[in-house]
Amino acid sequence: MEMSLMKNNVTKTILATVAGAAAFAGAGVAASANDITVKAGDTLSQIAQANNTTVDDLASKNNIADVNLIYVGDVIKTDGTATAAATTTAAATTTAAATTTTQTSSADQTAQANTAATTSSVDYSSYSAGASGSVQTIINAMNAKRAAAGLAPVQYDAALSARAQSRAENAVANGGLPTGHMQQVAGPEVVAIDWAPSQVVNAWYNETGMIAAPAHRNWLMNASFTKVGFGIVDGTIVGLAG
């Protein structure tokens, strides 16, 4: 309860300042405001100033024991008037806030779109040079993911690819995973079965149909990796990195 009262007091101070500034703008056409429904953030001080009355008067008329504590949904009888100037100021403030939020949101969306466009337009082919077409596809996709996270690209490594190819052959012979895969006997290794080269990076990143998550995403996004190799046999893809 003490925290609620402190929040109300802070809000009261802020809203009283806004109401005071509106009063200096000059009186306008009066509007009926005999019944005020309390909204979130309202204070009795705010309601009193907006309706040309006092906190004590409102407390007396509405049998309010604690002037610092009113509830959302309460109906406050004021028998007062709200000036058009105050109403106009409040409406303008709300409109300005909404406009600022919209502009900020648009700016954020534009920045995100520009980042996405920049990442998608980068040519990573130099890092996959020397690899087969399917392996190039995987390395390029992997480097795009890493770039989006601010990580350095990995370079195709022929020796790692040769080892990965041997591991893929072993996996197919085993009818599943290569020998010792769960123990990572061959080094940092990932495996995917029945995924196309154009889809496998997303499958690893999203852990789609994978076991031991998030091991595959962590492998893709390991900041210490500088080189990578892939082996492909039938529908089995094995990746090794270092």
Side-chain angles (χ1 to χ4, degrees):
M1 183 67 72
E2 183 178 349
M3 290 180 65
S4 297
L5 295 180
M6 290 175 64
K7 181 178 180 181
N8 282 340
N9 287 336
V10 172
T11 304
K12 176 171 65 179
T13 301
I14 295 171
L15 291 175
T17 302
V18 174
F24 282 112
V29 178
S32 175
N34 291 332
D35 294 328
I36 303 296
T37 300
V38 176
K39 302 181 297 300
D42 283 350
T43 67
L44 204 60
S45 175
Q46 171 201 7
I47 294 171
Q49 286 191 304
N51 290 275
N52 298 323
T53 184
T54 66
V55 170
D56 290 339
D57 186 55
L58 290 182
S60 175
K61 282 186 173 68
N62 294 275
N63 297 317
I64 298 173
D66 187 345
V67 297
N68 292 315
L69 187 61
I70 55 177
Y71 298 94
V72 174
D74 284 352
V75 176
I76 306 295
K77 295 187 178 298
T78 66
D79 294 334
T81 57
T83 64
T87 303
T88 301
T89 300
T93 301
T94 301
T95 302
T99 301
T100 301
T101 301
T102 301
Q103 291 174 341
T104 301
S105 177
S106 297
D108 289 344
Q109 291 174 356
T110 300
Q112 290 171 359
N114 288 340
T115 299
T118 300
T119 300
S120 64
S121 63
V122 173
D123 182 7
Y124 298 104
S125 59
S126 63
Y127 294 97
S128 59
S132 67
S134 294
V135 172
Q136 283 186 342
T137 297
I138 298 172
I139 295 175
N140 292 344
M142 179 177 177
N143 279 333
K145 287 286 188 191
R146 290 172 66 86
L151 298 175
V154 289
Q155 182 78 45
Y156 165 73
D157 185 88
L160 281 176
S161 276
R163 286 171 51 199
Q165 184 68 21
S166 177
R167 295 288 288 169
E169 292 169 357
N170 177 251
V172 171
N174 290 342
L177 297 174
T179 302
H181 170 70
M182 300 306 292
Q183 293 76 34
Q184 297 284 279
V185 297
E189 177 180 77
V190 289
V191 179
I193 300 174
D194 294 332
W195 287 98
S198 60
Q199 301 171 326
V200 71
V201 168
N202 280 333
W204 280 326
Y205 185 82
N206 296 315
E207 297 289 349
T208 308
M210 304 294 167
I211 60 174
H216 304 84
R217 177 183 292 194
N218 291 344
W219 186 90
L220 287 171
M221 310 306 282
N222 190 317
S224 68
F225 290 166
T226 59
K227 55 187 179 179
V228 70
F230 293 95
I232 305 173
V233 177
D234 297 332
T236 297
I237 301 174
V238 174
L240 288 172

